[in-house]
Amino acid sequence: MKVVVIGDTLVNSQTLIEAVNEMKLGGTIEEIESFEWYSDLTKDQFQEHILAIERGGPEAVEIPAGIIEALSNADYLFAHYAPISRKMIEAGQRLKLIGTCRGGLENVNLEAIKEKEIPLVHVIRNAEPVADFTIGLMYAETRNIARAHCAIQQGKWEKSFSNDSYKTTLANLTVGIVGVGYIGKQVIERLNGLKVSVIAYDPFVDRERLAADGLNVTLKENLTDLFKEADIISLHMRVTPETKQMINKKYINLMKPSAYIINTARADILCKEDLVDALRNKKIAGAAMDVSWTEPIPTDDPLLKLENVTLTTHIAGDTVDAIPRSPFLLKKVVNDYMEKGYSDMLIKIE
């Protein structure tokens, strides 16, 4: 069999090759052909191409030279940030599986994969760091950690905050998880360890699999119930046409005045105007977000004038080992899929 890998500045092709050699693909790997997608750039230079693919998708950027010919007789394709375009997918007449190991799927033409009925395994390379960070934001916002520090730097010794009448320990709160994918499950696992009550909503989740994974969570039939009941709502969905601005005033207005929103997923899940209105008018207690609708946040952004929001600079997944070692996480998931015939990381394209 033949495997094609595509490296880039953040994940080199040699690491992908090492991971492929540990994959149990059901036969002998006769050839691994590697390609590079701007691997010679610095991280700062590579950022330009990251933004291009996130804004325009795989058809808006150049694909590696020679990749079309290589895919014509390839059985597997593995990449990190490189584009997986329609032209590439259509060239891969023998492809049995495609695997990626980055946070989102903006670099993949999902419609073409659906048409060709090629299984797509997507590993969220920084799931554990993001899950850790999500819990950190819950503490930071509900207990005013960041804003107390900021006040001290400004020469103030603040002891009173806008959420004073709601402050309590995390164990006294119910956390609502929206989206029980890989990261959502990691957050639930951590909350279980902290003995925090967890409810969740995800129309695609398998209840039996959750139980088999040992996760203690109550699934809700709809978002309405979750937003009414939760004290903290943590968002963990992908941005799709169906989820874009899905969390708007329809649901925000259902929240308790003591409740919080946490977002370490994508900003476009939330309707910014409705969130700002709720925070400004104290309809909810607060919000904490690692993502923004424009990055960097403009200096005149209304969020910067609010006293009940914690903002960070899209760093939830930024650890020294998460990205470079992501092919080995992909290896683990591919092996699980090859053995069982299914995986939590197998993308269901509706």
Side-chain angles (χ1 to χ4, degrees), residues 206-217:
D206 187 320
R207 294 172 183 265
E208 293 182 359
R209 294 270 293 282
L210 284 180
D213 290 338
L215 297 176
N216 184 10
V217 55

Side-chain angles (χ1 to χ4, degrees), residues 11 18 27 44 52 54 61 76 83-84 87 93 109 135 137 141 169 200 203 213 237-238 245 250 282 303 309 348:
V11 173
E18 290 173 11
D44 287 342
E54 289 193 347
V61 296
Y76 296 91
I84 300 176
K87 190 175 180 181
Q93 295 295 322
N109 190 316
I135 301 296
L137 285 183
E141 178 56 30
T169 61
D213 290 338
M237 313 100 79
R238 292 190 294 119
Q245 296 199 13
K250 171 184 175 181
K282 308 295 175 61
L303 288 168
V309 63
K348 299 175 182 177

Side-chain angles (χ1 to χ4, degrees), residues 141-143 147 163 166-167 173 230-234 255-256 258-262 284-288 308:
E141 178 56 30
T142 62
R143 299 300 304 278
R147 60 180 59 97
N163 64 346
Y166 308 127
K167 282 188 298 188
L173 303 176
D231 299 298
I232 299 174
I233 293 167
S234 191
M255 295 172 65
K256 305 172 187 178
S258 58
Y260 303 84
I261 288 179
I262 309 292
I284 61 175
N308 53 354

Side-chain angles (χ1 to χ4, degrees), residues 10 56 63 101 199 239 298 320 347:
L10 303 179
I63 62 176
C101 50
I199 59 177
V239 175
V320 296
I347 299 300

Side-chain angles (χ1 to χ4, degrees), residues 25 36 66 78 239:
L25 299 176
E36 307 297 332
F78 300 110
V239 175

